[in-house]
Amino acid sequence: TTATTTSLSAKKKVIVLGGDGFCGWPTSLYLSDKGHSVTIVDNLSRRNIDTELGCQSLTPISSPQTRVNAWKEVSGKTIDFHNIDVAKDYDKLLALIKEKKPDTIIHFAEQRAAPYSMKSTKGKRYTVDNNIGGTNNLCCAVADSGLDVHIVHLGTMGVYGYGTSGGEIPEGYIDVTLPGGREANILHPAYPGSVYHATKCLDAIMFQFYNKNDQLRVTDLHQGIVWGTNTPQTVRDERLINRFDYDGDYGTVLNRFLMQGGMGVPLTVYGTGGQTRGFIHITDTTKCLEIAMENPPKKGERVEIFNQIAETRRVRDVAQMVATQTGVDMKLVPNPRQEAAENELDVSNRKFLSAGLSPTTLESENGLFSEVIDIVQKYKHRCDPEMILPASYWNKERAKACEGNL
Ligand code: NAD
């Protein structure tokens, strides 16, 4: 009976902010499948941005209501859905937290595309207002509620800058010698490469403040680029299918290459393709969220930070893998981004490994790479190849360099 009590009491009440998105939806299903009680909050801004940009998920995603009804049918489990704007509807957010009394709130609800954040003045201002406003509202609401809620936030590897510190990037904090000679362990310096990445750096400072001031318990996950589409939960019914973004603003690099490979058009590699990035499969994202949820910092402890990546790869090597698999050539195009042409990236991910994560890599023998190729083949009639090309430039010089060259 002790074991039963332990396993029952281990089930948590979770609110997933941004639970209709690419990472949030499969994470909500995974946690529900594991017996946790899940409530999704999402204002559907991502679906609205699709309409604004004139594109759509390659996969035909169902409405949130159809999704949760289908999940009830296949699993017998209930997921609540609430349409709340985390950055604007403070009172509704606070009321929901007081009503649900969650153990954990997972915060995915941000504008997450670096290109979209650099597209226009409107994109820059929206990204800052939405992301910082949302994070501040969440911290205020948790403090205001008086409840001891663990916040788990999705940050990005991009907060560190890529290869700027030299040597292995530690998990969030670095040892320094302060002027005067005192040794200290402080937040890794922030070195964002876009307005989007700047919001994640600012988020980290907000969490540090609310943690110190209100003893909020926070875990910040600095995630790499997510690839893949489906998970063991989303394949259970086509109405549960996850979104797959392939456009130049929201498509993550590997998914964009796979789309181009599937369409038989050249893989557009920015610059020399010498940028090294961290990658993680969507199934591992869902597992990492549960690990983070199960290992909260104690009250009074500083913000916990994990690096959430499975491996690092150079972009041109990723393109070469897709070229080999699909028989499509790659094409170097001027880089729309203001960034170093080449960088090394060495990242510690020891915390997740020691917590039991056994990461899927691009070369894992489990067919996940070919699963994405199958998705692309199945739905390629829905793809508009024009949308894959970059449509946002970091500054006027980058826009000029790309003019007529894509
Ligand atoms: P996504 O855009 O697919 O999902 C985000 C969801 O949040 C969307 O459904 C959107 O409608 C919702 N949302 C945004 N603002 C909101 C608001 N103010 N109120 C309520 N809902 C709101 O993005 P994703 O790829 O699932 O990313 C989720 C999180 O993970 C983001 O914070 C992102 O920065 C982070 N992340 C993603 C990746 C990646 O490769 N996809 C990599 C690193 C970090």
PDB file of all heavy atoms in Angstrom, residues 18 20-24 41-46 84-87 108-112 126 130 154-156 196 200 223-226 243 252, ligand 1:
ATOM      1  N   GLY A  18       0.144  27.735 -23.219  1.00  0.00           N
ATOM      2  CA  GLY A  18       0.646  27.495 -24.580  1.00  0.00           C
ATOM      3  C   GLY A  18       0.484  26.030 -24.966  1.00  0.00           C
ATOM      4  O   GLY A  18       1.213  25.518 -25.815  1.00  0.00           O
ATOM      5  N   ASP A  20      -1.594  24.530 -26.776  1.00  0.00           N
ATOM      6  CA  ASP A  20      -2.075  24.199 -28.120  1.00  0.00           C
ATOM      7  C   ASP A  20      -0.928  24.199 -29.135  1.00  0.00           C
ATOM      8  O   ASP A  20      -1.130  23.906 -30.302  1.00  0.00           O
ATOM      9  CB  ASP A  20      -3.150  25.228 -28.552  1.00  0.00           C
ATOM     10  CG  ASP A  20      -3.812  24.871 -29.881  1.00  0.00           C
ATOM     11  OD1 ASP A  20      -4.245  23.711 -30.033  1.00  0.00           O
ATOM     12  OD2 ASP A  20      -3.868  25.750 -30.780  1.00  0.00           O
ATOM     13  N   GLY A  21       0.298  24.537 -28.696  1.00  0.00           N
ATOM     14  CA  GLY A  21       1.405  24.716 -29.639  1.00  0.00           C
ATOM     15  C   GLY A  21       2.180  23.442 -29.949  1.00  0.00           C
ATOM     16  O   GLY A  21       1.847  22.348 -29.470  1.00  0.00           O
ATOM     17  N   PHE A  22       3.229  23.613 -30.735  1.00  0.00           N
ATOM     18  CA  PHE A  22       4.058  22.506 -31.233  1.00  0.00           C
ATOM     19  C   PHE A  22       4.657  21.666 -30.092  1.00  0.00           C
ATOM     20  O   PHE A  22       4.634  20.431 -30.144  1.00  0.00           O
ATOM     21  CB  PHE A  22       5.164  23.116 -32.120  1.00  0.00           C
ATOM     22  CG  PHE A  22       6.232  22.175 -32.570  1.00  0.00           C
ATOM     23  CD1 PHE A  22       5.934  20.991 -33.226  1.00  0.00           C
ATOM     24  CD2 PHE A  22       7.580  22.494 -32.369  1.00  0.00           C
ATOM     25  CE1 PHE A  22       6.943  20.135 -33.662  1.00  0.00           C
ATOM     26  CE2 PHE A  22       8.596  21.647 -32.799  1.00  0.00           C
ATOM     27  CZ  PHE A  22       8.274  20.464 -33.436  1.00  0.00           C
ATOM     28  N   CYS A  23       5.188  22.323 -29.063  1.00  0.00           N
ATOM     29  CA  CYS A  23       5.729  21.577 -27.913  1.00  0.00           C
ATOM     30  C   CYS A  23       4.649  21.332 -26.857  1.00  0.00           C
ATOM     31  O   CYS A  23       4.651  20.293 -26.182  1.00  0.00           O
ATOM     32  CB  CYS A  23       6.864  22.351 -27.243  1.00  0.00           C
ATOM     33  SG  CYS A  23       8.294  22.659 -28.284  1.00  0.00           S
ATOM     34  N   GLY A  24       3.729  22.299 -26.691  1.00  0.00           N
ATOM     35  CA  GLY A  24       2.755  22.253 -25.601  1.00  0.00           C
ATOM     36  C   GLY A  24       1.719  21.149 -25.751  1.00  0.00           C
ATOM     37  O   GLY A  24       1.341  20.505 -24.761  1.00  0.00           O
ATOM     38  N   VAL A  41      -4.036  26.188 -21.192  1.00  0.00           N
ATOM     39  CA  VAL A  41      -4.395  27.597 -21.427  1.00  0.00           C
ATOM     40  C   VAL A  41      -3.730  28.011 -22.730  1.00  0.00           C
ATOM     41  O   VAL A  41      -2.518  27.782 -22.902  1.00  0.00           O
ATOM     42  CB  VAL A  41      -3.877  28.488 -20.275  1.00  0.00           C
ATOM     43  CG1 VAL A  41      -3.976  29.962 -20.638  1.00  0.00           C
ATOM     44  CG2 VAL A  41      -4.636  28.201 -18.989  1.00  0.00           C
ATOM     45  N   ASP A  42      -4.469  28.589 -23.649  1.00  0.00           N
ATOM     46  CA  ASP A  42      -3.868  29.079 -24.898  1.00  0.00           C
ATOM     47  C   ASP A  42      -4.820  30.113 -25.506  1.00  0.00           C
ATOM     48  O   ASP A  42      -6.040  29.923 -25.486  1.00  0.00           O
ATOM     49  CB  ASP A  42      -3.663  27.918 -25.886  1.00  0.00           C
ATOM     50  CG  ASP A  42      -2.585  28.223 -26.926  1.00  0.00           C
ATOM     51  OD1 ASP A  42      -2.781  29.154 -27.740  1.00  0.00           O
ATOM     52  OD2 ASP A  42      -1.544  27.525 -26.930  1.00  0.00           O
ATOM     53  N   ASN A  43      -4.266  31.201 -26.046  1.00  0.00           N
ATOM     54  CA  ASN A  43      -5.127  32.215 -26.675  1.00  0.00           C
ATOM     55  C   ASN A  43      -5.176  32.039 -28.197  1.00  0.00           C
ATOM     56  O   ASN A  43      -5.682  32.911 -28.899  1.00  0.00           O
ATOM     57  CB  ASN A  43      -4.667  33.636 -26.315  1.00  0.00           C
ATOM     58  CG  ASN A  43      -3.333  33.992 -26.959  1.00  0.00           C
ATOM     59  OD1 ASN A  43      -2.616  33.104 -27.427  1.00  0.00           O
ATOM     60  ND2 ASN A  43      -3.002  35.268 -26.984  1.00  0.00           N
ATOM     61  N   LEU A  44      -4.608  30.951 -28.693  1.00  0.00           N
ATOM     62  CA  LEU A  44      -4.617  30.609 -30.121  1.00  0.00           C
ATOM     63  C   LEU A  44      -3.898  31.652 -30.982  1.00  0.00           C
ATOM     64  O   LEU A  44      -4.162  31.754 -32.183  1.00  0.00           O
ATOM     65  CB  LEU A  44      -6.051  30.371 -30.628  1.00  0.00           C
ATOM     66  CG  LEU A  44      -6.889  29.390 -29.795  1.00  0.00           C
ATOM     67  CD1 LEU A  44      -8.213  29.107 -30.496  1.00  0.00           C
ATOM     68  CD2 LEU A  44      -6.137  28.097 -29.536  1.00  0.00           C
ATOM     69  N   SER A  45      -2.981  32.410 -30.373  1.00  0.00           N
ATOM     70  CA  SER A  45      -2.257  33.431 -31.150  1.00  0.00           C
ATOM     71  C   SER A  45      -1.434  32.800 -32.267  1.00  0.00           C
ATOM     72  O   SER A  45      -1.293  33.380 -33.345  1.00  0.00           O
ATOM     73  CB  SER A  45      -1.364  34.267 -30.240  1.00  0.00           C
ATOM     74  OG  SER A  45      -0.531  33.424 -29.478  1.00  0.00           O
ATOM     75  N   ARG A  46      -0.928  31.605 -32.045  1.00  0.00           N
ATOM     76  CA  ARG A  46      -0.105  30.948 -33.072  1.00  0.00           C
ATOM     77  C   ARG A  46      -0.949  30.627 -34.308  1.00  0.00           C
ATOM     78  O   ARG A  46      -0.502  30.811 -35.437  1.00  0.00           O
ATOM     79  CB  ARG A  46       0.518  29.675 -32.476  1.00  0.00           C
ATOM     80  CG  ARG A  46       1.388  28.890 -33.426  1.00  0.00           C
ATOM     81  CD  ARG A  46       2.670  29.651 -33.766  1.00  0.00           C
ATOM     82  NE  ARG A  46       3.320  29.085 -34.929  1.00  0.00           N
ATOM     83  CZ  ARG A  46       3.036  29.413 -36.179  1.00  0.00           C
ATOM     84  NH1 ARG A  46       2.113  30.316 -36.456  1.00  0.00           N
ATOM     85  NH2 ARG A  46       3.685  28.860 -37.175  1.00  0.00           N
ATOM     86  N   ILE A  84      -7.290  31.860 -22.712  1.00  0.00           N
ATOM     87  CA  ILE A  84      -6.903  33.033 -21.906  1.00  0.00           C
ATOM     88  C   ILE A  84      -5.611  33.602 -22.493  1.00  0.00           C
ATOM     89  O   ILE A  84      -4.695  32.836 -22.818  1.00  0.00           O
ATOM     90  CB  ILE A  84      -6.647  32.630 -20.427  1.00  0.00           C
ATOM     91  CG1 ILE A  84      -7.930  32.102 -19.775  1.00  0.00           C
ATOM     92  CG2 ILE A  84      -6.071  33.798 -19.617  1.00  0.00           C
ATOM     93  CD1 ILE A  84      -7.738  31.565 -18.351  1.00  0.00           C
ATOM     94  N   ASP A  85      -5.533  34.932 -22.618  1.00  0.00           N
ATOM     95  CA  ASP A  85      -4.282  35.565 -23.050  1.00  0.00           C
ATOM     96  C   ASP A  85      -3.451  35.832 -21.796  1.00  0.00           C
ATOM     97  O   ASP A  85      -3.805  36.691 -20.969  1.00  0.00           O
ATOM     98  CB  ASP A  85      -4.593  36.874 -23.798  1.00  0.00           C
ATOM     99  CG  ASP A  85      -3.330  37.507 -24.378  1.00  0.00           C
ATOM    100  OD1 ASP A  85      -2.250  37.380 -23.772  1.00  0.00           O
ATOM    101  OD2 ASP A  85      -3.441  38.149 -25.441  1.00  0.00           O
ATOM    102  N   VAL A  86      -2.365  35.091 -21.652  1.00  0.00           N
ATOM    103  CA  VAL A  86      -1.551  35.171 -20.435  1.00  0.00           C
ATOM    104  C   VAL A  86      -0.957  36.569 -20.257  1.00  0.00           C
ATOM    105  O   VAL A  86      -0.767  37.048 -19.137  1.00  0.00           O
ATOM    106  CB  VAL A  86      -0.428  34.095 -20.492  1.00  0.00           C
ATOM    107  CG1 VAL A  86       0.528  34.216 -19.322  1.00  0.00           C
ATOM    108  CG2 VAL A  86      -1.028  32.697 -20.550  1.00  0.00           C
ATOM    109  N   ALA A  87      -0.680  37.240 -21.376  1.00  0.00           N
ATOM    110  CA  ALA A  87      -0.062  38.566 -21.294  1.00  0.00           C
ATOM    111  C   ALA A  87      -1.084  39.665 -21.024  1.00  0.00           C
ATOM    112  O   ALA A  87      -0.705  40.760 -20.610  1.00  0.00           O
ATOM    113  CB  ALA A  87       0.692  38.866 -22.591  1.00  0.00           C
ATOM    114  N   PHE A 108       4.848  27.634 -21.840  1.00  0.00           N
ATOM    115  CA  PHE A 108       5.285  27.614 -23.242  1.00  0.00           C
ATOM    116  C   PHE A 108       4.743  28.840 -23.995  1.00  0.00           C
ATOM    117  O   PHE A 108       5.018  28.987 -25.192  1.00  0.00           O
ATOM    118  CB  PHE A 108       4.652  26.415 -23.980  1.00  0.00           C
ATOM    119  CG  PHE A 108       5.139  25.043 -23.636  1.00  0.00           C
ATOM    120  CD1 PHE A 108       4.340  24.153 -22.928  1.00  0.00           C
ATOM    121  CD2 PHE A 108       6.372  24.591 -24.101  1.00  0.00           C
ATOM    122  CE1 PHE A 108       4.752  22.852 -22.671  1.00  0.00           C
ATOM    123  CE2 PHE A 108       6.789  23.289 -23.847  1.00  0.00           C
ATOM    124  CZ  PHE A 108       5.984  22.421 -23.131  1.00  0.00           C
ATOM    125  N   ALA A 109       3.893  29.654 -23.333  1.00  0.00           N
ATOM    126  CA  ALA A 109       3.049  30.620 -24.052  1.00  0.00           C
ATOM    127  C   ALA A 109       3.786  31.892 -24.453  1.00  0.00           C
ATOM    128  O   ALA A 109       3.560  32.965 -23.884  1.00  0.00           O
ATOM    129  CB  ALA A 109       1.833  30.960 -23.194  1.00  0.00           C
ATOM    130  N   GLU A 110       4.672  31.749 -25.432  1.00  0.00           N
ATOM    131  CA  GLU A 110       5.392  32.931 -25.906  1.00  0.00           C
ATOM    132  C   GLU A 110       5.451  32.928 -27.426  1.00  0.00           C
ATOM    133  O   GLU A 110       5.245  31.892 -28.063  1.00  0.00           O
ATOM    134  CB  GLU A 110       6.803  32.942 -25.293  1.00  0.00           C
ATOM    135  CG  GLU A 110       6.738  33.008 -23.757  1.00  0.00           C
ATOM    136  CD  GLU A 110       8.058  33.329 -23.090  1.00  0.00           C
ATOM    137  OE1 GLU A 110       8.490  34.490 -23.176  1.00  0.00           O
ATOM    138  OE2 GLU A 110       8.651  32.422 -22.480  1.00  0.00           O
ATOM    139  N   GLN A 111       5.737  34.109 -28.006  1.00  0.00           N
ATOM    140  CA  GLN A 111       5.985  34.188 -29.439  1.00  0.00           C
ATOM    141  C   GLN A 111       7.380  33.630 -29.619  1.00  0.00           C
ATOM    142  O   GLN A 111       8.344  34.206 -29.142  1.00  0.00           O
ATOM    143  CB  GLN A 111       5.872  35.651 -29.893  1.00  0.00           C
ATOM    144  CG  GLN A 111       5.833  35.854 -31.398  1.00  0.00           C
ATOM    145  CD  GLN A 111       7.036  35.313 -32.137  1.00  0.00           C
ATOM    146  OE1 GLN A 111       6.976  34.216 -32.735  1.00  0.00           O
ATOM    147  NE2 GLN A 111       8.125  36.041 -32.110  1.00  0.00           N
ATOM    148  N   ARG A 112       7.521  32.511 -30.359  1.00  0.00           N
ATOM    149  CA  ARG A 112       8.780  31.784 -30.289  1.00  0.00           C
ATOM    150  C   ARG A 112       9.637  31.793 -31.545  1.00  0.00           C
ATOM    151  O   ARG A 112      10.649  31.083 -31.574  1.00  0.00           O
ATOM    152  CB  ARG A 112       8.524  30.350 -29.858  1.00  0.00           C
ATOM    153  CG  ARG A 112       7.830  29.485 -30.894  1.00  0.00           C
ATOM    154  CD  ARG A 112       8.791  28.581 -31.590  1.00  0.00           C
ATOM    155  NE  ARG A 112       8.116  27.592 -32.419  1.00  0.00           N
ATOM    156  CZ  ARG A 112       8.419  27.422 -33.681  1.00  0.00           C
ATOM    157  NH1 ARG A 112       9.322  28.181 -34.265  1.00  0.00           N
ATOM    158  NH2 ARG A 112       7.805  26.476 -34.377  1.00  0.00           N
ATOM    159  N   TYR A 126       5.435  43.337 -30.511  1.00  0.00           N
ATOM    160  CA  TYR A 126       4.522  42.279 -30.057  1.00  0.00           C
ATOM    161  C   TYR A 126       5.284  41.218 -29.252  1.00  0.00           C
ATOM    162  O   TYR A 126       4.832  40.778 -28.186  1.00  0.00           O
ATOM    163  CB  TYR A 126       3.810  41.638 -31.263  1.00  0.00           C
ATOM    164  CG  TYR A 126       3.116  40.338 -30.906  1.00  0.00           C
ATOM    165  CD1 TYR A 126       1.976  40.345 -30.093  1.00  0.00           C
ATOM    166  CD2 TYR A 126       3.633  39.110 -31.327  1.00  0.00           C
ATOM    167  CE1 TYR A 126       1.364  39.156 -29.728  1.00  0.00           C
ATOM    168  CE2 TYR A 126       3.018  37.916 -30.971  1.00  0.00           C
ATOM    169  CZ  TYR A 126       1.886  37.951 -30.170  1.00  0.00           C
ATOM    170  OH  TYR A 126       1.294  36.770 -29.796  1.00  0.00           O
ATOM    171  N   ASN A 130       4.279  40.561 -25.508  1.00  0.00           N
ATOM    172  CA  ASN A 130       3.653  39.264 -25.234  1.00  0.00           C
ATOM    173  C   ASN A 130       4.509  38.419 -24.286  1.00  0.00           C
ATOM    174  O   ASN A 130       4.014  37.891 -23.292  1.00  0.00           O
ATOM    175  CB  ASN A 130       3.445  38.511 -26.556  1.00  0.00           C
ATOM    176  CG  ASN A 130       2.625  37.249 -26.387  1.00  0.00           C
ATOM    177  OD1 ASN A 130       1.473  37.295 -25.946  1.00  0.00           O
ATOM    178  ND2 ASN A 130       3.219  36.101 -26.705  1.00  0.00           N
ATOM    179  N   LEU A 154      10.075  27.448 -20.574  1.00  0.00           N
ATOM    180  CA  LEU A 154      10.919  27.087 -21.710  1.00  0.00           C
ATOM    181  C   LEU A 154      11.739  28.291 -22.127  1.00  0.00           C
ATOM    182  O   LEU A 154      11.204  29.277 -22.637  1.00  0.00           O
ATOM    183  CB  LEU A 154      10.045  26.617 -22.887  1.00  0.00           C
ATOM    184  CG  LEU A 154       9.676  25.132 -22.890  1.00  0.00           C
ATOM    185  CD1 LEU A 154      10.910  24.297 -23.222  1.00  0.00           C
ATOM    186  CD2 LEU A 154       9.069  24.666 -21.581  1.00  0.00           C
ATOM    187  N   GLY A 155      13.023  28.197 -21.878  1.00  0.00           N
ATOM    188  CA  GLY A 155      13.962  29.200 -22.370  1.00  0.00           C
ATOM    189  C   GLY A 155      14.594  28.654 -23.647  1.00  0.00           C
ATOM    190  O   GLY A 155      14.041  27.757 -24.288  1.00  0.00           O
ATOM    191  N   THR A 156      15.749  29.154 -23.997  1.00  0.00           N
ATOM    192  CA  THR A 156      16.389  28.685 -25.224  1.00  0.00           C
ATOM    193  C   THR A 156      17.911  28.662 -25.057  1.00  0.00           C
ATOM    194  O   THR A 156      18.469  29.454 -24.281  1.00  0.00           O
ATOM    195  CB  THR A 156      16.038  29.595 -26.428  1.00  0.00           C
ATOM    196  OG1 THR A 156      17.030  29.456 -27.446  1.00  0.00           O
ATOM    197  CG2 THR A 156      16.004  31.057 -26.043  1.00  0.00           C
ATOM    198  N   TYR A 196      13.507  38.012 -30.125  1.00  0.00           N
ATOM    199  CA  TYR A 196      12.944  36.828 -29.452  1.00  0.00           C
ATOM    200  C   TYR A 196      13.906  36.312 -28.378  1.00  0.00           C
ATOM    201  O   TYR A 196      13.510  36.082 -27.233  1.00  0.00           O
ATOM    202  CB  TYR A 196      12.643  35.727 -30.484  1.00  0.00           C
ATOM    203  CG  TYR A 196      12.616  34.345 -29.873  1.00  0.00           C
ATOM    204  CD1 TYR A 196      11.580  33.958 -29.031  1.00  0.00           C
ATOM    205  CD2 TYR A 196      13.651  33.442 -30.101  1.00  0.00           C
ATOM    206  CE1 TYR A 196      11.569  32.698 -28.439  1.00  0.00           C
ATOM    207  CE2 TYR A 196      13.646  32.170 -29.524  1.00  0.00           C
ATOM    208  CZ  TYR A 196      12.613  31.810 -28.694  1.00  0.00           C
ATOM    209  OH  TYR A 196      12.607  30.580 -28.100  1.00  0.00           O
ATOM    210  N   LYS A 200      13.902  35.974 -23.922  1.00  0.00           N
ATOM    211  CA  LYS A 200      14.215  34.815 -23.064  1.00  0.00           C
ATOM    212  C   LYS A 200      15.277  35.185 -22.025  1.00  0.00           C
ATOM    213  O   LYS A 200      15.277  34.660 -20.914  1.00  0.00           O
ATOM    214  CB  LYS A 200      14.701  33.638 -23.924  1.00  0.00           C
ATOM    215  CG  LYS A 200      13.654  33.106 -24.879  1.00  0.00           C
ATOM    216  CD  LYS A 200      12.523  32.401 -24.134  1.00  0.00           C
ATOM    217  CE  LYS A 200      11.537  31.783 -25.088  1.00  0.00           C
ATOM    218  NZ  LYS A 200      10.463  31.063 -24.438  1.00  0.00           N
ATOM    219  N   GLN A 223      16.275  25.189 -24.060  1.00  0.00           N
ATOM    220  CA  GLN A 223      16.051  24.123 -25.034  1.00  0.00           C
ATOM    221  C   GLN A 223      16.742  24.428 -26.364  1.00  0.00           C
ATOM    222  O   GLN A 223      16.855  25.575 -26.768  1.00  0.00           O
ATOM    223  CB  GLN A 223      14.536  23.984 -25.253  1.00  0.00           C
ATOM    224  CG  GLN A 223      14.139  22.830 -26.162  1.00  0.00           C
ATOM    225  CD  GLN A 223      12.635  22.582 -26.208  1.00  0.00           C
ATOM    226  OE1 GLN A 223      12.179  21.492 -25.934  1.00  0.00           O
ATOM    227  NE2 GLN A 223      11.880  23.589 -26.575  1.00  0.00           N
ATOM    228  N   GLY A 224      17.155  23.371 -27.051  1.00  0.00           N
ATOM    229  CA  GLY A 224      17.698  23.511 -28.403  1.00  0.00           C
ATOM    230  C   GLY A 224      16.567  23.493 -29.422  1.00  0.00           C
ATOM    231  O   GLY A 224      15.388  23.596 -29.073  1.00  0.00           O
ATOM    232  N   ILE A 225      16.925  23.353 -30.693  1.00  0.00           N
ATOM    233  CA  ILE A 225      15.941  23.365 -31.778  1.00  0.00           C
ATOM    234  C   ILE A 225      15.193  22.024 -31.787  1.00  0.00           C
ATOM    235  O   ILE A 225      15.822  20.964 -31.818  1.00  0.00           O
ATOM    236  CB  ILE A 225      16.647  23.579 -33.130  1.00  0.00           C
ATOM    237  CG1 ILE A 225      17.373  24.940 -33.118  1.00  0.00           C
ATOM    238  CG2 ILE A 225      15.669  23.463 -34.289  1.00  0.00           C
ATOM    239  CD1 ILE A 225      18.277  25.160 -34.317  1.00  0.00           C
ATOM    240  N   VAL A 226      13.869  22.109 -31.758  1.00  0.00           N
ATOM    241  CA  VAL A 226      13.073  20.879 -31.686  1.00  0.00           C
ATOM    242  C   VAL A 226      12.773  20.388 -33.101  1.00  0.00           C
ATOM    243  O   VAL A 226      12.425  21.169 -33.973  1.00  0.00           O
ATOM    244  CB  VAL A 226      11.758  21.127 -30.921  1.00  0.00           C
ATOM    245  CG1 VAL A 226      10.974  19.828 -30.777  1.00  0.00           C
ATOM    246  CG2 VAL A 226      12.041  21.731 -29.549  1.00  0.00           C
ATOM    247  N   ARG A 243       1.263  19.953 -34.769  1.00  0.00           N
ATOM    248  CA  ARG A 243       1.517  20.888 -35.868  1.00  0.00           C
ATOM    249  C   ARG A 243       2.926  20.682 -36.428  1.00  0.00           C
ATOM    250  O   ARG A 243       3.833  20.203 -35.735  1.00  0.00           O
ATOM    251  CB  ARG A 243       1.268  22.338 -35.470  1.00  0.00           C
ATOM    252  CG  ARG A 243       2.121  22.902 -34.353  1.00  0.00           C
ATOM    253  CD  ARG A 243       1.789  24.389 -34.127  1.00  0.00           C
ATOM    254  NE  ARG A 243       1.943  25.128 -35.364  1.00  0.00           N
ATOM    255  CZ  ARG A 243       1.002  25.931 -35.896  1.00  0.00           C
ATOM    256  NH1 ARG A 243      -0.125  26.134 -35.275  1.00  0.00           N
ATOM    257  NH2 ARG A 243       1.233  26.553 -37.026  1.00  0.00           N
ATOM    258  N   THR A 252      11.393  25.150 -38.003  1.00  0.00           N
ATOM    259  CA  THR A 252      12.745  25.005 -37.442  1.00  0.00           C
ATOM    260  C   THR A 252      13.621  24.349 -38.515  1.00  0.00           C
ATOM    261  O   THR A 252      13.117  23.678 -39.416  1.00  0.00           O
ATOM    262  CB  THR A 252      12.746  24.219 -36.113  1.00  0.00           C
ATOM    263  OG1 THR A 252      12.075  22.982 -36.297  1.00  0.00           O
ATOM    264  CG2 THR A 252      12.042  25.013 -35.024  1.00  0.00           C
TER     265      THR A 252
HETATM  266  P1  NAD B   1       4.269  27.476 -30.557  1.00  0.00           P
HETATM  267  O1  NAD B   1       4.154  28.854 -31.107  1.00  0.00           O
HETATM  268  O2  NAD B   1       3.893  26.332 -31.425  1.00  0.00           O
HETATM  269  O3  NAD B   1       3.447  27.366 -29.187  1.00  0.00           O
HETATM  270  C1  NAD B   1       3.290  28.433 -28.293  1.00  0.00           C
HETATM  271  C2  NAD B   1       1.820  28.459 -27.892  1.00  0.00           C
HETATM  272  O4  NAD B   1       1.622  29.515 -26.970  1.00  0.00           O
HETATM  273  C3  NAD B   1       0.901  28.730 -29.094  1.00  0.00           C
HETATM  274  O5  NAD B   1      -0.118  27.761 -29.148  1.00  0.00           O
HETATM  275  C4  NAD B   1       0.356  30.125 -28.842  1.00  0.00           C
HETATM  276  O6  NAD B   1      -0.967  30.293 -29.330  1.00  0.00           O
HETATM  277  C5  NAD B   1       0.448  30.231 -27.313  1.00  0.00           C
HETATM  278  N1  NAD B   1       0.601  31.599 -26.816  1.00  0.00           N
HETATM  279  C6  NAD B   1       1.504  32.541 -27.206  1.00  0.00           C
HETATM  280  N2  NAD B   1       1.311  33.680 -26.531  1.00  0.00           N
HETATM  281  C7  NAD B   1       0.277  33.462 -25.676  1.00  0.00           C
HETATM  282  C8  NAD B   1      -0.393  34.264 -24.716  1.00  0.00           C
HETATM  283  N3  NAD B   1      -0.053  35.543 -24.507  1.00  0.00           N
HETATM  284  N4  NAD B   1      -1.407  33.703 -24.004  1.00  0.00           N
HETATM  285  C9  NAD B   1      -1.775  32.405 -24.212  1.00  0.00           C
HETATM  286  N5  NAD B   1      -1.196  31.616 -25.121  1.00  0.00           N
HETATM  287  C10 NAD B   1      -0.174  32.137 -25.846  1.00  0.00           C
HETATM  288  O7  NAD B   1       5.788  27.315 -30.053  1.00  0.00           O
HETATM  289  P2  NAD B   1       6.567  25.992 -29.582  1.00  0.00           P
HETATM  290  O8  NAD B   1       7.498  25.616 -30.661  1.00  0.00           O
HETATM  291  O9  NAD B   1       5.617  25.003 -29.030  1.00  0.00           O
HETATM  292  O10 NAD B   1       7.437  26.591 -28.406  1.00  0.00           O
HETATM  293  C11 NAD B   1       6.963  26.555 -27.056  1.00  0.00           C
HETATM  294  C12 NAD B   1       7.991  27.195 -26.140  1.00  0.00           C
HETATM  295  O11 NAD B   1       9.225  26.481 -26.248  1.00  0.00           O
HETATM  296  C13 NAD B   1       8.290  28.646 -26.511  1.00  0.00           C
HETATM  297  O12 NAD B   1       8.404  29.432 -25.359  1.00  0.00           O
HETATM  298  C14 NAD B   1       9.611  28.562 -27.234  1.00  0.00           C
HETATM  299  O13 NAD B   1      10.347  29.733 -27.085  1.00  0.00           O
HETATM  300  C15 NAD B   1      10.275  27.377 -26.568  1.00  0.00           C
HETATM  301  N6  NAD B   1      11.246  26.746 -27.471  1.00  0.00           N
HETATM  302  C16 NAD B   1      10.837  26.174 -28.645  1.00  0.00           C
HETATM  303  C17 NAD B   1      11.789  25.622 -29.505  1.00  0.00           C
HETATM  304  C18 NAD B   1      11.408  24.990 -30.821  1.00  0.00           C
HETATM  305  O14 NAD B   1      12.309  24.557 -31.563  1.00  0.00           O
HETATM  306  N7  NAD B   1      10.129  24.889 -31.161  1.00  0.00           N
HETATM  307  C19 NAD B   1      13.157  25.645 -29.157  1.00  0.00           C
HETATM  308  C20 NAD B   1      13.529  26.230 -27.943  1.00  0.00           C
HETATM  309  C21 NAD B   1      12.568  26.778 -27.102  1.00  0.00           C
END
